[in-house]
């Protein structure tokens, strides 16, 4: 998964560890990184959730490790894709991501319908939040101006 950097070099999408307040390790954050100018950019579609997570930790958080993928559906899909396809040099990242997103959205919609049939408002809200995290995202928005 790649994106064009402002310097003209291709940036690769990686799962990075972000350190917050010198105490909190946030694992599995999708970040584009440039090997040429060393700039980094958090995947645009997860920035809102990263900001919310950091705000929830407060100014003086206790030391801990957090998996961002447990807080964000898109990060979880990317994490699983990277883990399962890392050794496959022939993988079409864009197609694989689109396929996994479609499967996850269908599963979440099924869960939402079931939660609604039970009248479980908390569960419905949780699933709705997860659907919001993947809605509006397309692999084309990540892969625009990119090369696989």
């Amino acid at each position: 998964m790649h994106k064009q950097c402002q310097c003209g070099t291709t940036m690769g999408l990686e799962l990075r560890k972000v350190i917050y307040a010198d105490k909190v390790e946030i694992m599995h954050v999708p970040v584009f990184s440039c090997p040429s100018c060393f700039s980094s950019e958090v995947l645009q579609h997860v920035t809102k959730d990263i900001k919310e997570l950091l705000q929830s930790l407060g100014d003086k958080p206790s030391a801990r490790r957090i998996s961002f993928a447990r807080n964000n559906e898109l990060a979880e899909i990317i994490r699983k894709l990277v883990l399962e396809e890392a050794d496959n040099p022939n993988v079409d990242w864009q197609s694989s991501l689109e396929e996994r997103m479609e499967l996850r959205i269908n599963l979440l919609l099924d869960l939402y319908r079931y939660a609604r049939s039970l009248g479980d408002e908390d569960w419905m809200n949780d699933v709705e939040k997860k659907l919001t995290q993947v809605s509006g995202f397309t692999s084309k928005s990540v892969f625009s101006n990119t090369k696989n």
Side-chain angles (χ1 to χ4, degrees), residues 34-137:
C34 180
S36 180
C37 70
F38 304 107
S39 65
S40 295
E41 178 183 323
V42 173
L43 180 64
Q44 178 183 4
H45 293 86
V46 301
T47 55
K48 178 182 172 244
D49 291 327
I50 280 283
K51 288 177 184 176
E52 287 177 5
L53 176 60
L54 296 177
Q55 288 175 346
S56 73
L57 295 171
D59 293 333
K60 297 181 181 180
S62 58
R64 62 183 132 168
R65 278 181 117 176
I66 299 171
S67 172
F68 181 65
R70 291 185 181 210
N71 292 282
N72 183 277
E73 283 297 303
L74 182 55
E76 177 64 7
I77 292 167
I78 292 170
R79 184 189 72 81
K80 285 183 178 178
L81 176 62
V82 168
L83 285 174
E84 294 169 11
E85 301 292 348
D87 296 333
N88 183 354
N90 300 320
V91 68
D92 178 352
W93 291 100
Q94 184 172 353
S95 296
S96 292
L97 182 58
E98 287 173 359
E99 181 180 311
R100 288 165 187 261
M101 297 258 327
E102 184 178 339
L103 289 170
R104 187 63 182 167
I105 289 169
N106 287 337
L107 174 66
L108 289 170
L109 288 171
D110 289 344
L111 287 172
Y112 185 85
R113 279 189 218 83
Y114 185 63
R116 185 176 61 197
S117 74
L118 296 175
D120 190 330
E121 292 288 326
D122 291 336
W123 193 9
M124 288 170 55
N125 291 335
D126 183 53
V127 173
E128 190 173 329
K129 178 183 176 186
K130 291 176 181 191
L131 280 165
T132 301
Q133 290 173 339
V134 293
S135 70
F137 174 84

